[in-house]
């Protein structure tokens, strides 16, 4: 079923682009390494260390990076690279565990230190192409217990710190490098330049990975593969499905039909905005299904969050299925899977799968022959870049994540039309003021919640007994953990005043100051 993906992936992306293979040993920053490489306009794949040498060779790598990992090289089951990678004649950069393993495998000595070295340390660099163009103090993030005490024959020390005699080592003939610190993290100020140097000076890439080319190649391959067949896409208005839809529409025009299920639980004006962009701006064959009544009826009297999710998920699929049937058999179904969902962990765990997907479960229900996943090899920031490249408006490209069950999980207790209207208005004000304060790209997710609590207030000379709106805003990298956003009091003040003045039946605003954990981002 993924034949098309592979063909498009390999023909348009993997085979034509210079590729760096990132071999994953299970460290926490592994995806970050891949993103840093891509930011340098170089395509890379992340594969678990257990993959065969044959597979590594099949990418025709211009260079290889070994990631960090939690093990010690002396652990009984310590993950090791296939020895053959050192014979491929391509440059290698080992990071942290990757460096220790390289040293160990090539005859150096690694020792377990008494204490873990953790923190930002100044590094003294020797002559090395890795450090070209890096002036001044080289602060870098160290996070390791083992350390390299003897480097292999043919290598030289390239950097050191007070407590770490081999912070970096190299063999410039073979273009093998090892660094004990983490160049991929922001704390390592010169890390970006180091990765640039490895790619452009050691691997000698020219940098042929751009989203403009990606779009061009994908569109050409998709055109050829799809021919005159029919394509179906579930459009949610979120970043991934929007970019996927526009990409496919550029390839096959009106052979693509997008179904947009408007369940009435979207943010204020969102349904109309989606319609405006996709129907008018991109001239996409769009079926907007307005089914607010149907969803509200199903949700009537339901207060349990998991029940709400289940009802919405099932009803969504039913609506989609009904609409898809009207179109008849389609040949291809588009899915907005992105690369972080695809990468398998180097430690051999099951692949990471999003726990909640905005349009989850569709393939089981719709009659189609193949799946197309046009974003399968892209990170989220690349999807955004691609969206911009395709002319999708900024506000949509930079849209914060929005849960599939929509406002249903932000309407605590029973969902009624009136309470939804209050929530939509309050949320729109909050979002507007966050944007006015220039915080919309700094805070990763922010929204209003209507609580099921009412309390006493006073407006003019009148006693009120109205709803409390809670404001939620978080900063996070992965949405698995997060901090509550330190929004300036002045901004919160404006939001609070505006909501109570402009939205009827609200007389109290609270700001949620809990992190995740122990709270979750959503209230339900
Ligand atoms: P929590 O509330 O679990 O949220 O901290 C983490 C991220 O997931 C989103 N979220 C959902 N997304 N369906 C979705 O598509 C859901 O049922 C759902 N619940 C939470 C949430 O908005 C946040 O980005």
């Amino acid at each position: 079923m993924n034949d098309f993906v592979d063909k498009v992936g390999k023909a348009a992306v993997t085979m034509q682009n210079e590729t760096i293979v990132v071999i994953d040993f299970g460290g926490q920053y592994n995806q970050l390494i891949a993103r840093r490489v891509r930011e340098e306009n170089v395509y890379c794949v992340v594969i678990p260390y257990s993959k065969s040498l044959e597979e590594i060779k099949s990418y025709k790598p211009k260079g290889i990076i070994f990631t960090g990992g939690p093990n010690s090289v002396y652990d009984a089951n310590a993950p090791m690279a296939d020895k053959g990678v050192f014979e491929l004649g391509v440059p290698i950069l080992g990071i942290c565990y990757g460096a220790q393993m390289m040293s160990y495998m090539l005859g150096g000595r690694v020792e377990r230190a008494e204490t873990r070295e953790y923190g930002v340390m100044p590094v003294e660099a020797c002559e090395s192409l890795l450090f070209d163009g890096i002036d001044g103090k080289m602060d870098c993030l160290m996070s390791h217990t083992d350390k390299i005490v003897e480097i292999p024959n043919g290598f030289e020390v390239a950097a050191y710190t007070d407590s770490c005699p081999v912070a970096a080592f190299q063999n410039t003939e073979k273009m093998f490098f090892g660094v004990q610190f983490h160049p991929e993290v922001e704390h390592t100020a010169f890390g970006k330049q180091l990765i640039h140097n490895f790619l452009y000076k050691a691997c000698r890439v020219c940098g042929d990975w751009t989203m403009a080319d990606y779009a061009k190649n994908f569109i050409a391959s998709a055109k050829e593969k799809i021919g005159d067949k029919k394509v179906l896409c579930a459009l949610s208005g979120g970043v991934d499905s929007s970019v996927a839809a526009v990409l496919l529409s550029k390839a096959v025009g009106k052979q693509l039909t997008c179904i947009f299920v408007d369940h009435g639980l979207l943010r204020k004006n969102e349904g109309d905005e989606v319609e405006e962009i996709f129907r008018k701006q991109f001239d996409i064959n769009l079926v907007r299904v307005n089914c607010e009544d149907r969803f509200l009826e199903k949700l009537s009297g339901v207060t349990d969050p998991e029940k709400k999710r289940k009802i919405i998920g099932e009803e969504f699929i039913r609506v989609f299925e009904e609409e898809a049937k009207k179109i008849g058999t389609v040949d291809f179904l588009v899915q907005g899977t992105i690369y972080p969902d695809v990468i398998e962990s180097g430690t051999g765990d099951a692949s990471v799968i999003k726990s909640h997907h905005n349009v989850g479960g569709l393939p089981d229900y719709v009659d189609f022959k193949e799946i197309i996943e046009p974003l399968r090899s892209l990170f989220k920031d690349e999807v955004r870049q691609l969206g911009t490249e395709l002319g999708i408006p900024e506000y949509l490209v930079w849209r914060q994540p929005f849960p599939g069950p929509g406002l249903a999980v932000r309407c605590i207790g029973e969902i009624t039309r009136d309470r939804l209207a209050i929530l939509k208005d309050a949320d729109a004000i909050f979002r507007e003021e966050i944007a006015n304060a220039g915080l919309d790209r700094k805070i990763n997710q922010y929204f209003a919640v209507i609580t099921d609590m009412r309390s006493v207030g006073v407006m003019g000379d009148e006693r009120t007994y109205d709803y409390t709106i809670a404001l939620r805003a978080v900063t996070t990298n992965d949405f698995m953990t997060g901090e509550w956003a330190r929004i300036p009091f002045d901004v919160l003040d404006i939001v609070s005043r505006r909501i109570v003045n402009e939205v009827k039946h609200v007389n109290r605003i609270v700001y949620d100051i809990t992190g995740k954990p122990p709270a979750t981002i959503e209230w339900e």
Side-chain angles (χ1 to χ4, degrees), residues 142-187:
M142 290 281 190
S143 169
H144 61 106
T145 311
D146 287 2
K147 59 181 171 188
I148 299 159
V149 287
E150 236 171 71
I151 52 177
N153 274 342
F155 280 75
E156 59 189 346
V157 171
Y160 56 91
T161 73
D162 285 346
S163 56
C164 183
V166 186
F169 63 105
Q170 62 185 12
N171 176 333
T172 47
E173 209 178 292
K174 295 195 160 157
M175 290 290 173
F176 291 169
F177 303 86
V179 291
Q180 186 57 77
F181 50 86
H182 288 273
E184 69 277 21
V185 300
E186 272 172 26
H187 308 284

Side-chain angles (χ1 to χ4, degrees), residues 29 137 146 153 161 207 223 235 295 311 393 406 436 509 516:
Y29 302 124
K137 225 170 93 205
D146 287 2
N153 274 342
T161 73
K223 248 187 197 153
L235 188 66
F295 275 79
I311 291 170
N436 286 345
I509 310 292
K516 175 184 177 178

Side-chain angles (χ1 to χ4, degrees), residues 309 355-359 401-406 409-410 445 447 478-480 516 519-524:
R309 281 197 170 80
S355 52
H356 355 257
H357 197 284
N358 277 349
V359 285
F402 186 63
V409 290
R410 297 178 181 171
Q445 203 169 3
F447 51 86
D478 54 9
F479 298 88
M480 308 290 278
K516 175 184 177 178
T520 52
I521 296 175
E522 301 290 346
W523 271 39
E524 282 197 336

Side-chain angles (χ1 to χ4, degrees), residues 300-473:
S300 162
V302 178
T303 55
D304 178 71
E306 286 314 301
K307 268 198 195 133
K308 287 180 183 175
R309 281 197 170 80
K310 195 159 179 282
I311 291 170
I312 294 165
E314 283 175 8
E315 206 55 22
F316 185 95
I317 286 167
R318 227 164 268 151
V319 174
F320 189 86
E321 198 180 10
E322 283 166 22
E323 293 303 319
K325 271 198 188 122
K326 292 181 193 161
I327 300 168
T329 304
V330 293
D331 300 280
F332 299 97
L333 181 75
V334 182
Q335 292 229 301
T337 319
I338 64 172
Y339 197 44
D341 306 331
V342 175
I343 298 180
E344 286 175 51
S345 157
T347 51
D349 296 342
S351 51
V352 183
I353 296 167
K354 246 191 235 172
S355 52
H356 355 257
H357 197 284
N358 277 349
V359 285
L362 288 179
D364 294 343
Y365 303 84
V366 179
D367 196 9
F368 68 98
K369 293 187 188 131
E370 285 186 62
I371 291 181
I372 307 178
E373 295 179 305
L375 314 177
R376 197 180 157 81
S377 53
L378 307 185
F379 285 104
K380 191 83 178 185
D381 36 350
E382 293 174 317
V383 175
R384 293 196 208 277
Q385 263 177 45
L386 179 59
T388 306
E389 197 68 49
L390 295 169
I392 300 175
E394 285 267 297
Y395 75 86
L396 204 161
V397 163
W398 284 97
R399 195 165 254 177
Q400 50 172 321
F402 186 63
L407 299 182
V409 290
R410 297 178 181 171
C411 197
I412 310 302
E414 195 178 351
I415 302 162
T416 64
R417 212 176 289 274
D418 291 347
R419 298 183 74 231
L420 270 181
I422 295 172
L423 174 58
K424 283 183 189 180
D425 285 343
D427 183 68
I429 291 172
F430 187 31
R431 285 188 290 128
E432 193 180 314
E433 291 303 334
I434 289 290
N436 286 345
L439 297 172
D440 48 343
R441 295 218 191 151
K442 296 193 177 122
I443 303 175
N444 305 96
Q445 203 169 3
Y446 51 97
F447 51 86
V449 172
I450 182 165
T451 70
D452 53 356
M453 191 192 82
R454 286 195 289 173
S455 67
V456 175
V458 56
M459 269 250 201
D461 293 331
E462 300 272 320
R463 174 190 185 276
T464 57
Y465 187 60
D466 278 329
Y467 285 111
T468 297
I469 289 281
L471 305 175
R472 180 69 163 146

